[in-house]
Amino acid sequence: MTVQTASRESAYLELEHIVGPEHITSSPVIMDSYTFQFNADNITGTNWGPFRPWAVILPESTRQVQAIVRVCNEHEVPFKAISTGWAIMGAPSCEGCLQIDLRRMNHIIEIDEENMYAVVEPYVSGAALQAEAMKKGLNCHIHGAGSNASLLANATSVCGQGNTGMSTSHSNRNLLGVEWVTPTGEVLHLGSLGQTGRWFTGDGPGPSLRGAMRGFLGAFGGIGVFTRCALKLYPWYGPREPEVKGTTPDYWLEGLDRIHVFQVVLESWDSFADFCYKLGEAEIAMVACRNAPVVAVAGVVDSNEEFVEIWESEYFQSFPYALSVVIDAGSDAEFAHRTRVLHDIVDDCGGLIQFATKTRPSYIKYQLRMLNWLRKQHGTVGAVRVLYRAARSFGKIVHEKGMDHLARTMAAAMIKAHANARAIFRFGGSFITTFGALETIDAAVAGAKRGIEVKKPYIERGVLMDDTGDNAWGTIYEQGALMHLEEVAAYDPSDPEAAAGATRFMIDAIVASRDDHIGFCFNGFSDLGHGLLSDQTSGYYRWLAALKDAFDPAGVSDGGYYVSRSEEVTALVDGLQKH
Amino acid sequence: MNLSEPRVVKPGSAAEVARTIIDARKDHEPVFVMSSGKKHRHWRGPAGGDGLVVDMSAMARVVRLDRRNRAALVEPGVTFGTFSRALEGKGLRANTPLAPRASKSVLASALEREPVIMPRYHWDMVDPLMSIEVVLGTGDLFRAGSGAGPGSLQEQWASGQAQKSPMGPSQFDPVRLVQGSQGTMGVVTWASIRVEQAPARTDYLLSGSEDLATLCSLVQRLSWRRLGEECLILNSGALGSLLETDPANAAALANSLPPWVLLLGLAGFAWRPDERVAYQRAEAVEIARALGLSAAPSLGGLSADRVGRAAGATSAEPYWKDRALGDSDEVFFLATLDRAAPLISVARDKAAEAGYPSEQAGAYVQPLVGGRAAHVEVMFPHEPGKAPLNGTSRSLSRALLDAGAFFSRPYGDWADLVWERDPRMKRAVEKIKGIFDPDGIMSPGNLGIPFHEYGEAPRTTGRRSRKARD
């Protein structure tokens, strides 16, 4: 055991008393594993974050979490909760921090089938809840981090964008009742939970404290620990226990009779936006997700060698304005209606269906349209060359697996959210993401266009992977009410120049999204983000810092990825103004 | 001059509101807000005339309507009457409360989290409120939601934004902290409101039942199938009052109906509207049949279209809740749909114990958040000036709380009851209040937070104190 002071030693003993000696450690090798997080390289240039935890503790209940937080207050020990973890924001951002690992709190407390919500603990993954919910004809929103990540963490503390947002909204807006151990160790029951013991709403009485616990972004552990929450569930019209077939990395679900995927391609960003608006208003889609060509290819290949072969054909890059649309239906009549309407809208927007589950879009009009677009981009000879190369590379996969296989694995990837991370990590081992404001469809497209411009110089310098500049991933939410497109950049984290370049790209992107007023970007957290954005965003920084002061007077809930306390913010802002 | 009348100011801009609040803060003068110039049913103003009323009715512009993004930006003085006229012909419609007063402020209604009649578009309790601009109790002007920026409104519009998200800025949601606060945090000077596309066709169905629980089950099944736009349940008495201004006609209509009636609107939009309505209608009818119910375009002699039109329109005067006997008290709360019937029984039984004829009580169940929760309301019509529950409303509310009702909008006495049950939440709300209104001048007495809990006691001899000035 490594302790620096008598108080620390005393704190350790008290913490050990709470959870038992088998659930707390300060062994250096274990501590290192907690700071080994992706994006650590953006800060340190290595795979390890800047601060190893002082100790790691594994509570099993809210009561234990509360007791731990109280000990931290008493001994001025900073603490940081982590559940499944995703990127450096889950690790400590300060020296001497206690990492509260919530992996023992892994229960689905309740699935209320009639009222369509579930109550979960922090270590319940998207896959775990989804499997149980589907047995009851229900589904949950799974965020882009993937089905292996914590649902509670995304809903209470992180972001929340996800493939099925068209029909399942965003993690922020899926939250109902919440149990919150505040930084001082008080347990708050938000919404109906406090008065009735039931979880069906998280707002009130009076103002909703959901507004204090997170925003567009979560506090990344900077405002206490969330120990249980209720999440909305949505109708699932597929089989109650869908059979998962295939082998890694290609999985598909059997029995999706009325759940089909359609890969729709438009000719320009403008027609892409028009299609998105019309699709939203038609209210027919379960999923409307945009993958840039680079990720679309990564999603259909089994190896990086296959990726290179297809990528060099330039086929997919010729159709960048694509949207993966999943249609679900609760009846045959609804499915027929929705499919017909989709085709109507595709035609109305001058688009084409590249492939689809169970139906082969061999429509001559689509083929002719595709050839025409290729000819416009590459000339007649160039178009033939692209097609020839595509036939040799992509055609080989289609021949081996069948076009229907590609569509059905895509459908599974969208619904189960298991492929996003695989697709983006495979290139260089890490990625960074920027832009991504959650606003209108038009604003999302504006951000995607600007993201390409910001990224290209970094590609030319060889710092970021050459993905043509366009790697805007995102989805539509709530039948067209909102959309986000985030500009993703893959790089090699073992290359210090690439890691530093990725960080500079992120800062350039924050500045571009700010100066072009295209929405509040993904990276607008921590003092760095606030310092760059607050002045042009209604001066929110000081209000957020005041919130931190009010709920965390001792400053023990590690706020390195959240906000500093007011006095430090004032000093930071003064410093920025001087420079 | 009548000393009991508070001073009233009518600002014309956010800057004027800010100056007013800053002055009031200097003088430690309580400030109360009135959006459309009319007193809200649960509005609690200055006690004893001491304080300032900020009447926002002069700020009454529909600043922007955005058809493509289905968004409207309105000032506080915009009423449902003017708003519905503004939306006409624009291909948009509002998700409104049930037959709101024409004079009711759209912004105030959203700020108070009033229930809306189309639960399928109610994704979250914050809806249909999106972004806001607010003058906080400190006098600071602040924007929240995606409308906070970066950039001014004009700069955001230029990049295609429409202040569509209530989230943020950054790592908190101040919209949620201001909403539901009963004016205790600040004065909202504009809000963006989520509006929906106007349908190309709407078919309405009615389903009647002796048993509310069965109708609630029907709503749950319809919600799972995502069927329906307008979706609500009224008892026959409340439905009679909604449709007929004359009490005798309302009573006659109520007597011709089953005790409980569900309204369901089915809409088709730009793409194959008839086809959409046809399959949805066939399925809704089948789902009702499976529960032993019928769902049809009429119920007895009552046309579903008539109910649908009345539900989505502003109420004619007198206000529909007041029609039976001239005035009405109500108790409302949130519950899950399966708890609506037993909780309404608790309210009626307690009212009966107090001598109120329970058959006279109206009842309204409004599914929210896609059917995951419901606003449940019991109305007690009474003659003006008479207390219908003989002073037992507090015990009635307590009984409801004990039975599992959630008073999410704790007006008046309800606030004390809910804070008594969960004092930790009150302390947490007070922390927020301490940030946005450190001197406690905003709407003291509302939300169960009296003036004296913040800062100094009110100065009755302040520079702008009415009594001193007069």
Side-chain angles (χ1 to χ4, degrees), chain A residues 186 198 206 232-233 237 277 281 331 344 439-440 442 478 517 524 538 542, chain B residues 67 69 123 143 146 159-161 164 170 194 197 224 272 283 336 372 427:
Chain A
E186 192 158 49
R198 299 188 69 201
K232 287 165 66 181
L233 296 175
Y237 301 138
Y277 278 102
E281 291 200 354
S331 67
D344 289 348
E439 247 284 335
T440 65
D442 283 337
E478 300 180 6
H517 317 111
S538 209
R542 74 178 172 107
Chain B
R67 169 63 189 85
N69 292 303
W123 290 79
R143 283 180 276 135
S146 59
S159 71
Q161 295 179 75
K164 276 288 283 189
S170 190
R194 183 181 172 131
Q197 59 181 322
W224 184 80
R272 300 178 186 262
E283 287 194 38
T336 47
R372 291 165 188 84
R427 288 197 296 272

mmCIF file of all heavy atoms in Angstrom, chain A residues 186 198 206 232-233 237 277 281 331 344 439-440 442 478 517 524 538 542, chain B residues 67 69 123 143 146 159-161 164 170 194 197 224 272 283 336 372 427:
data_model
loop_
_atom_site.group_PDB
_atom_site.id
_atom_site.type_symbol
_atom_site.label_atom_id
_atom_site.label_comp_id
_atom_site.label_asym_id
_atom_site.label_seq_id
_atom_site.Cartn_x
_atom_site.Cartn_y
_atom_site.Cartn_z
ATOM 1 N N GLU A 186 -24.608 13.329 -0.313
ATOM 2 C CA GLU A 186 -26.050 13.284 -0.112
ATOM 3 C C GLU A 186 -26.660 12.464 -1.251
ATOM 4 O O GLU A 186 -26.218 12.592 -2.396
ATOM 5 C CB GLU A 186 -26.612 14.706 -0.137
ATOM 6 C CG GLU A 186 -28.040 14.789 0.341
ATOM 7 C CD GLU A 186 -28.387 16.203 0.805
ATOM 8 O OE1 GLU A 186 -28.101 17.160 0.063
ATOM 9 O OE2 GLU A 186 -28.932 16.336 1.894
ATOM 10 N N ARG A 198 -41.107 5.439 -7.319
ATOM 11 C CA ARG A 198 -41.188 4.912 -8.688
ATOM 12 C C ARG A 198 -40.389 5.826 -9.618
ATOM 13 O O ARG A 198 -40.190 6.995 -9.344
ATOM 14 C CB ARG A 198 -42.647 4.781 -9.133
ATOM 15 C CG ARG A 198 -43.414 3.807 -8.225
ATOM 16 C CD ARG A 198 -44.785 3.517 -8.772
ATOM 17 N NE ARG A 198 -44.695 2.734 -9.990
ATOM 18 C CZ ARG A 198 -45.681 2.673 -10.887
ATOM 19 N NH1 ARG A 198 -46.790 3.352 -10.706
ATOM 20 N NH2 ARG A 198 -45.537 1.947 -11.977
ATOM 21 N N GLY A 206 -40.880 20.858 -9.066
ATOM 22 C CA GLY A 206 -40.365 22.178 -9.423
ATOM 23 C C GLY A 206 -39.337 22.063 -10.526
ATOM 24 O O GLY A 206 -39.477 21.260 -11.447
ATOM 25 N N LYS A 232 -35.836 5.250 -20.743
ATOM 26 C CA LYS A 232 -36.979 4.930 -21.582
ATOM 27 C C LYS A 232 -36.685 3.694 -22.422
ATOM 28 O O LYS A 232 -35.552 3.501 -22.887
ATOM 29 C CB LYS A 232 -37.281 6.098 -22.526
ATOM 30 C CG LYS A 232 -37.899 7.301 -21.843
ATOM 31 C CD LYS A 232 -37.840 8.532 -22.730
ATOM 32 C CE LYS A 232 -38.692 8.415 -23.956
ATOM 33 N NZ LYS A 232 -38.597 9.640 -24.810
ATOM 34 N N LEU A 233 -37.711 2.891 -22.636
ATOM 35 C CA LEU A 233 -37.625 1.790 -23.595
ATOM 36 C C LEU A 233 -38.584 2.084 -24.739
ATOM 37 O O LEU A 233 -39.528 2.867 -24.594
ATOM 38 C CB LEU A 233 -37.976 0.469 -22.925
ATOM 39 C CG LEU A 233 -37.022 0.018 -21.797
ATOM 40 C CD1 LEU A 233 -37.554 -1.234 -21.126
ATOM 41 C CD2 LEU A 233 -35.611 -0.203 -22.328
ATOM 42 N N TYR A 237 -40.128 -4.504 -32.693
ATOM 43 C CA TYR A 237 -41.059 -5.294 -33.500
ATOM 44 C C TYR A 237 -40.394 -6.533 -34.097
ATOM 45 O O TYR A 237 -40.959 -7.186 -34.956
ATOM 46 C CB TYR A 237 -41.668 -4.430 -34.610
ATOM 47 C CG TYR A 237 -42.433 -3.224 -34.098
ATOM 48 C CD1 TYR A 237 -42.317 -1.974 -34.714
ATOM 49 C CD2 TYR A 237 -43.278 -3.331 -32.999
ATOM 50 C CE1 TYR A 237 -43.015 -0.870 -34.243
ATOM 51 C CE2 TYR A 237 -43.979 -2.224 -32.525
ATOM 52 C CZ TYR A 237 -43.844 -0.992 -33.145
ATOM 53 O OH TYR A 237 -44.538 0.088 -32.680
ATOM 54 N N TYR A 277 -34.730 15.657 -44.072
ATOM 55 C CA TYR A 277 -35.936 16.343 -43.589
ATOM 56 C C TYR A 277 -37.194 15.568 -43.976
ATOM 57 O O TYR A 277 -38.115 15.383 -43.165
ATOM 58 C CB TYR A 277 -36.003 17.765 -44.151
ATOM 59 C CG TYR A 277 -35.169 18.765 -43.370
ATOM 60 C CD1 TYR A 277 -33.928 19.185 -43.834
ATOM 61 C CD2 TYR A 277 -35.630 19.295 -42.172
ATOM 62 C CE1 TYR A 277 -33.160 20.110 -43.130
ATOM 63 C CE2 TYR A 277 -34.869 20.217 -41.454
ATOM 64 C CZ TYR A 277 -33.642 20.624 -41.932
ATOM 65 O OH TYR A 277 -32.904 21.521 -41.214
ATOM 66 N N GLU A 281 -40.046 13.723 -41.524
ATOM 67 C CA GLU A 281 -41.467 14.077 -41.502
ATOM 68 C C GLU A 281 -42.349 12.889 -41.880
ATOM 69 O O GLU A 281 -43.518 12.834 -41.497
ATOM 70 C CB GLU A 281 -41.717 15.268 -42.417
ATOM 71 C CG GLU A 281 -41.096 16.539 -41.868
ATOM 72 C CD GLU A 281 -41.710 17.799 -42.449
ATOM 73 O OE1 GLU A 281 -42.557 17.687 -43.367
ATOM 74 O OE2 GLU A 281 -41.338 18.890 -41.986
ATOM 75 N N SER A 331 -46.634 -4.159 -38.296
ATOM 76 C CA SER A 331 -47.610 -4.949 -39.056
ATOM 77 C C SER A 331 -47.177 -4.977 -40.517
ATOM 78 O O SER A 331 -46.373 -4.146 -40.953
ATOM 79 C CB SER A 331 -49.006 -4.329 -38.948
ATOM 80 O OG SER A 331 -49.021 -3.074 -39.605
ATOM 81 N N ASP A 344 -40.705 6.554 -52.464
ATOM 82 C CA ASP A 344 -41.225 7.849 -52.947
ATOM 83 C C ASP A 344 -40.222 8.960 -52.649
ATOM 84 O O ASP A 344 -39.938 9.820 -53.494
ATOM 85 C CB ASP A 344 -42.540 8.207 -52.240
ATOM 86 C CG ASP A 344 -43.708 7.338 -52.662
ATOM 87 O OD1 ASP A 344 -43.572 6.605 -53.668
ATOM 88 O OD2 ASP A 344 -44.745 7.382 -51.959
ATOM 89 N N GLU A 439 -28.269 19.883 -33.337
ATOM 90 C CA GLU A 439 -29.179 20.960 -33.735
ATOM 91 C C GLU A 439 -29.955 20.499 -34.973
ATOM 92 O O GLU A 439 -30.307 19.329 -35.064
ATOM 93 C CB GLU A 439 -28.389 22.260 -33.997
ATOM 94 C CG GLU A 439 -28.708 23.371 -32.976
ATOM 95 C CD GLU A 439 -30.054 24.038 -33.213
ATOM 96 O OE1 GLU A 439 -30.538 24.016 -34.369
ATOM 97 O OE2 GLU A 439 -30.629 24.624 -32.273
ATOM 98 N N THR A 440 -30.170 21.386 -35.911
ATOM 99 C CA THR A 440 -30.975 21.022 -37.079
ATOM 100 C C THR A 440 -30.163 20.178 -38.064
ATOM 101 O O THR A 440 -28.934 20.102 -37.989
ATOM 102 C CB THR A 440 -31.441 22.279 -37.819
ATOM 103 O OG1 THR A 440 -30.271 22.940 -38.330
ATOM 104 C CG2 THR A 440 -32.197 23.224 -36.918
ATOM 105 N N ASP A 442 -29.803 20.914 -41.231
ATOM 106 C CA ASP A 442 -28.982 21.847 -42.021
ATOM 107 C C ASP A 442 -27.696 22.222 -41.276
ATOM 108 O O ASP A 442 -26.627 22.319 -41.884
ATOM 109 C CB ASP A 442 -29.775 23.121 -42.346
ATOM 110 C CG ASP A 442 -30.776 22.904 -43.470
ATOM 111 O OD1 ASP A 442 -30.584 21.963 -44.270
ATOM 112 O OD2 ASP A 442 -31.754 23.678 -43.541
ATOM 113 N N GLU A 478 -35.319 11.795 -33.249
ATOM 114 C CA GLU A 478 -36.734 12.162 -33.021
ATOM 115 C C GLU A 478 -37.413 12.560 -34.315
ATOM 116 O O GLU A 478 -38.013 13.634 -34.419
ATOM 117 C CB GLU A 478 -36.829 13.269 -31.963
ATOM 118 C CG GLU A 478 -36.244 12.853 -30.630
ATOM 119 C CD GLU A 478 -36.334 13.919 -29.573
ATOM 120 O OE1 GLU A 478 -36.952 14.968 -29.813
ATOM 121 O OE2 GLU A 478 -35.752 13.708 -28.485
ATOM 122 N N HIS A 517 -20.171 29.722 -36.081
ATOM 123 C CA HIS A 517 -21.479 29.625 -35.403
ATOM 124 C C HIS A 517 -22.275 28.437 -35.900
ATOM 125 O O HIS A 517 -23.461 28.560 -36.238
ATOM 126 C CB HIS A 517 -22.288 30.923 -35.605
ATOM 127 C CG HIS A 517 -21.482 32.155 -35.446
ATOM 128 N ND1 HIS A 517 -21.188 32.982 -36.503
ATOM 129 C CD2 HIS A 517 -20.876 32.679 -34.369
ATOM 130 C CE1 HIS A 517 -20.438 33.978 -36.069
ATOM 131 N NE2 HIS A 517 -20.229 33.819 -34.787
ATOM 132 N N GLY A 524 -16.706 20.809 -26.243
ATOM 133 C CA GLY A 524 -16.900 21.964 -25.369
ATOM 134 C C GLY A 524 -17.025 21.576 -23.914
ATOM 135 O O GLY A 524 -18.000 21.917 -23.251
ATOM 136 N N SER A 538 -22.980 32.905 -24.527
ATOM 137 C CA SER A 538 -23.742 33.488 -23.429
ATOM 138 C C SER A 538 -22.981 33.478 -22.099
ATOM 139 O O SER A 538 -23.602 33.576 -21.049
ATOM 140 C CB SER A 538 -25.084 32.741 -23.276
ATOM 141 O OG SER A 538 -26.059 33.586 -22.749
ATOM 142 N N ARG A 542 -19.097 30.825 -16.047
ATOM 143 C CA ARG A 542 -19.157 31.161 -14.622
ATOM 144 C C ARG A 542 -20.382 30.543 -13.956
ATOM 145 O O ARG A 542 -20.349 30.232 -12.763
ATOM 146 C CB ARG A 542 -19.114 32.666 -14.409
ATOM 147 C CG ARG A 542 -20.363 33.443 -14.754
ATOM 148 C CD ARG A 542 -20.118 34.925 -14.425
ATOM 149 N NE ARG A 542 -21.171 35.792 -14.882
ATOM 150 C CZ ARG A 542 -22.057 36.357 -14.056
ATOM 151 N NH1 ARG A 542 -22.023 36.117 -12.762
ATOM 152 N NH2 ARG A 542 -22.970 37.176 -14.536
ATOM 153 N N ARG B 67 -40.593 26.646 -40.775
ATOM 154 C CA ARG B 67 -41.317 25.457 -41.223
ATOM 155 C C ARG B 67 -40.384 24.273 -41.402
ATOM 156 O O ARG B 67 -40.702 23.151 -41.011
ATOM 157 C CB ARG B 67 -42.043 25.757 -42.551
ATOM 158 C CG ARG B 67 -42.621 24.532 -43.256
ATOM 159 C CD ARG B 67 -43.707 23.856 -42.426
ATOM 160 N NE ARG B 67 -44.143 22.587 -42.959
ATOM 161 C CZ ARG B 67 -43.561 21.413 -42.727
ATOM 162 N NH1 ARG B 67 -42.501 21.342 -41.951
ATOM 163 N NH2 ARG B 67 -44.039 20.293 -43.238
ATOM 164 N N ASN B 69 -37.600 23.473 -40.031
ATOM 165 C CA ASN B 69 -37.101 22.885 -38.785
ATOM 166 C C ASN B 69 -38.171 22.728 -37.713
ATOM 167 O O ASN B 69 -37.863 22.352 -36.581
ATOM 168 C CB ASN B 69 -35.937 23.718 -38.254
ATOM 169 C CG ASN B 69 -34.733 23.607 -39.159
ATOM 170 O OD1 ASN B 69 -34.248 22.509 -39.412
ATOM 171 N ND2 ASN B 69 -34.266 24.731 -39.692
ATOM 172 N N TRP B 123 -41.327 13.786 -26.281
ATOM 173 C CA TRP B 123 -40.254 12.824 -26.071
ATOM 174 C C TRP B 123 -39.691 12.912 -24.663
ATOM 175 O O TRP B 123 -39.120 11.969 -24.145
ATOM 176 C CB TRP B 123 -39.116 13.086 -27.078
ATOM 177 C CG TRP B 123 -39.462 12.735 -28.485
ATOM 178 C CD1 TRP B 123 -40.210 13.464 -29.356
ATOM 179 C CD2 TRP B 123 -39.072 11.553 -29.208
ATOM 180 N NE1 TRP B 123 -40.305 12.824 -30.567
ATOM 181 C CE2 TRP B 123 -39.606 11.657 -30.508
ATOM 182 C CE3 TRP B 123 -38.312 10.433 -28.890
ATOM 183 C CZ2 TRP B 123 -39.417 10.675 -31.478
ATOM 184 C CZ3 TRP B 123 -38.111 9.454 -29.852
ATOM 185 C CH2 TRP B 123 -38.669 9.573 -31.132
ATOM 186 N N ARG B 143 -28.614 32.998 -22.150
ATOM 187 C CA ARG B 143 -29.355 32.108 -23.057
ATOM 188 C C ARG B 143 -29.008 30.664 -22.719
ATOM 189 O O ARG B 143 -27.874 30.363 -22.370
ATOM 190 C CB ARG B 143 -29.000 32.398 -24.513
ATOM 191 C CG ARG B 143 -29.671 33.651 -25.053
ATOM 192 C CD ARG B 143 -29.308 33.905 -26.496
ATOM 193 N NE ARG B 143 -28.040 34.616 -26.598
ATOM 194 C CZ ARG B 143 -27.074 34.299 -27.449
ATOM 195 N NH1 ARG B 143 -27.202 33.268 -28.270
ATOM 196 N NH2 ARG B 143 -25.952 34.993 -27.489
ATOM 197 N N SER B 146 -29.535 25.002 -27.031
ATOM 198 C CA SER B 146 -28.607 25.226 -28.149
ATOM 199 C C SER B 146 -28.624 26.683 -28.597
ATOM 200 O O SER B 146 -27.676 27.153 -29.240
ATOM 201 C CB SER B 146 -28.936 24.297 -29.316
ATOM 202 O OG SER B 146 -30.255 24.514 -29.765
ATOM 203 N N SER B 159 -26.427 29.882 -40.079
ATOM 204 C CA SER B 159 -25.786 28.577 -40.303
ATOM 205 C C SER B 159 -26.802 27.443 -40.318
ATOM 206 O O SER B 159 -26.420 26.274 -40.341
ATOM 207 C CB SER B 159 -24.724 28.317 -39.231
ATOM 208 O OG SER B 159 -25.336 28.066 -37.983
ATOM 209 N N GLY B 160 -28.077 27.792 -40.308
ATOM 210 C CA GLY B 160 -29.116 26.767 -40.423
ATOM 211 C C GLY B 160 -29.685 26.297 -39.108
ATOM 212 O O GLY B 160 -30.495 25.374 -39.073
ATOM 213 N N GLN B 161 -29.282 26.889 -38.016
ATOM 214 C CA GLN B 161 -29.807 26.466 -36.718
ATOM 215 C C GLN B 161 -31.175 27.091 -36.443
ATOM 216 O O GLN B 161 -31.569 28.068 -37.080
ATOM 217 C CB GLN B 161 -28.832 26.860 -35.607
ATOM 218 C CG GLN B 161 -27.503 26.134 -35.693
ATOM 219 C CD GLN B 161 -26.564 26.581 -34.587
ATOM 220 O OE1 GLN B 161 -26.714 26.203 -33.440
ATOM 221 N NE2 GLN B 161 -25.592 27.397 -34.943
ATOM 222 N N LYS B 164 -33.110 24.479 -31.591
ATOM 223 C CA LYS B 164 -33.963 23.292 -31.528
ATOM 224 C C LYS B 164 -33.734 22.413 -30.308
ATOM 225 O O LYS B 164 -34.507 21.506 -30.056
ATOM 226 C CB LYS B 164 -33.725 22.425 -32.776
ATOM 227 C CG LYS B 164 -34.529 22.841 -33.986
ATOM 228 C CD LYS B 164 -36.011 22.506 -33.858
ATOM 229 C CE LYS B 164 -36.298 21.043 -34.092
ATOM 230 N NZ LYS B 164 -37.730 20.763 -34.172
ATOM 231 N N SER B 170 -23.044 23.227 -23.107
ATOM 232 C CA SER B 170 -21.989 22.457 -22.466
ATOM 233 C C SER B 170 -22.535 21.425 -21.492
ATOM 234 O O SER B 170 -23.407 20.630 -21.865
ATOM 235 C CB SER B 170 -20.989 23.413 -21.797
ATOM 236 O OG SER B 170 -19.848 22.699 -21.369
ATOM 237 N N ARG B 194 -41.018 23.879 -29.787
ATOM 238 C CA ARG B 194 -41.100 22.819 -30.783
ATOM 239 C C ARG B 194 -42.523 22.777 -31.345
ATOM 240 O O ARG B 194 -43.489 22.679 -30.586
ATOM 241 C CB ARG B 194 -40.766 21.511 -30.072
ATOM 242 C CG ARG B 194 -40.735 20.301 -30.932
ATOM 243 C CD ARG B 194 -40.399 19.096 -30.039
ATOM 244 N NE ARG B 194 -40.541 17.899 -30.825
ATOM 245 C CZ ARG B 194 -39.627 16.941 -30.890
ATOM 246 N NH1 ARG B 194 -38.548 17.010 -30.175
ATOM 247 N NH2 ARG B 194 -39.816 15.886 -31.638
ATOM 248 N N GLN B 197 -45.473 19.317 -37.790
ATOM 249 C CA GLN B 197 -46.035 19.512 -39.122
ATOM 250 C C GLN B 197 -47.561 19.357 -39.068
ATOM 251 O O GLN B 197 -48.086 18.507 -38.346
ATOM 252 C CB GLN B 197 -45.445 18.509 -40.089
ATOM 253 C CG GLN B 197 -45.684 17.061 -39.688
ATOM 254 C CD GLN B 197 -45.063 16.067 -40.649
ATOM 255 O OE1 GLN B 197 -45.056 16.273 -41.856
ATOM 256 N NE2 GLN B 197 -44.495 14.993 -40.110
ATOM 257 N N TRP B 224 -47.341 1.574 -27.474
ATOM 258 C CA TRP B 224 -46.340 0.587 -27.918
ATOM 259 C C TRP B 224 -46.354 0.461 -29.441
ATOM 260 O O TRP B 224 -45.318 0.264 -30.060
ATOM 261 C CB TRP B 224 -46.621 -0.776 -27.267
ATOM 262 C CG TRP B 224 -45.583 -1.791 -27.613
ATOM 263 C CD1 TRP B 224 -44.350 -1.934 -27.055
ATOM 264 C CD2 TRP B 224 -45.667 -2.801 -28.622
ATOM 265 N NE1 TRP B 224 -43.664 -2.966 -27.657
ATOM 266 C CE2 TRP B 224 -44.447 -3.514 -28.619
ATOM 267 C CE3 TRP B 224 -46.667 -3.182 -29.536
ATOM 268 C CZ2 TRP B 224 -44.194 -4.589 -29.493
ATOM 269 C CZ3 TRP B 224 -46.422 -4.245 -30.402
ATOM 270 C CH2 TRP B 224 -45.186 -4.933 -30.370
ATOM 271 N N ARG B 272 -48.404 9.726 -48.843
ATOM 272 C CA ARG B 272 -49.446 8.693 -48.774
ATOM 273 C C ARG B 272 -50.279 8.812 -47.491
ATOM 274 O O ARG B 272 -50.367 7.858 -46.685
ATOM 275 C CB ARG B 272 -48.827 7.304 -48.875
ATOM 276 C CG ARG B 272 -48.058 7.064 -50.171
ATOM 277 C CD ARG B 272 -47.421 5.691 -50.203
ATOM 278 N NE ARG B 272 -46.586 5.557 -51.395
ATOM 279 C CZ ARG B 272 -46.973 4.972 -52.526
ATOM 280 N NH1 ARG B 272 -48.178 4.466 -52.623
ATOM 281 N NH2 ARG B 272 -46.149 4.903 -53.557
ATOM 282 N N GLU B 283 -55.626 -0.848 -37.283
ATOM 283 C CA GLU B 283 -54.918 -1.441 -36.148
ATOM 284 C C GLU B 283 -55.444 -0.923 -34.817
ATOM 285 O O GLU B 283 -55.584 -1.677 -33.855
ATOM 286 C CB GLU B 283 -53.421 -1.159 -36.259
ATOM 287 C CG GLU B 283 -52.767 -1.986 -37.337
ATOM 288 C CD GLU B 283 -51.250 -1.966 -37.236
ATOM 289 O OE1 GLU B 283 -50.732 -1.983 -36.107
ATOM 290 O OE2 GLU B 283 -50.611 -1.926 -38.284
ATOM 291 N N THR B 336 -48.040 6.859 -13.440
ATOM 292 C CA THR B 336 -48.073 6.005 -14.628
ATOM 293 C C THR B 336 -49.529 5.721 -14.964
ATOM 294 O O THR B 336 -50.415 5.856 -14.102
ATOM 295 C CB THR B 336 -47.309 4.695 -14.382
ATOM 296 O OG1 THR B 336 -47.720 4.152 -13.124
ATOM 297 C CG2 THR B 336 -45.812 4.937 -14.372
ATOM 298 N N ARG B 372 -45.378 6.933 -21.188
ATOM 299 C CA ARG B 372 -44.627 6.415 -20.031
ATOM 300 C C ARG B 372 -45.073 7.049 -18.720
ATOM 301 O O ARG B 372 -44.724 6.585 -17.650
ATOM 302 C CB ARG B 372 -43.127 6.630 -20.249
ATOM 303 C CG ARG B 372 -42.578 5.746 -21.358
ATOM 304 C CD ARG B 372 -41.223 6.199 -21.831
ATOM 305 N NE ARG B 372 -40.816 5.453 -23.012
ATOM 306 C CZ ARG B 372 -41.159 5.740 -24.266
ATOM 307 N NH1 ARG B 372 -41.952 6.777 -24.506
ATOM 308 N NH2 ARG B 372 -40.756 5.005 -25.281
ATOM 309 N N ARG B 427 -33.440 21.299 -0.515
ATOM 310 C CA ARG B 427 -32.117 21.912 -0.319
ATOM 311 C C ARG B 427 -31.359 22.012 -1.654
ATOM 312 O O ARG B 427 -30.662 22.992 -1.908
ATOM 313 C CB ARG B 427 -31.308 21.087 0.695
ATOM 314 C CG ARG B 427 -31.798 21.220 2.120
ATOM 315 C CD ARG B 427 -30.748 20.732 3.122
ATOM 316 N NE ARG B 427 -30.479 19.313 2.986
ATOM 317 C CZ ARG B 427 -31.176 18.353 3.629
ATOM 318 N NH1 ARG B 427 -32.163 18.681 4.429
ATOM 319 N NH2 ARG B 427 -30.854 17.089 3.469
#
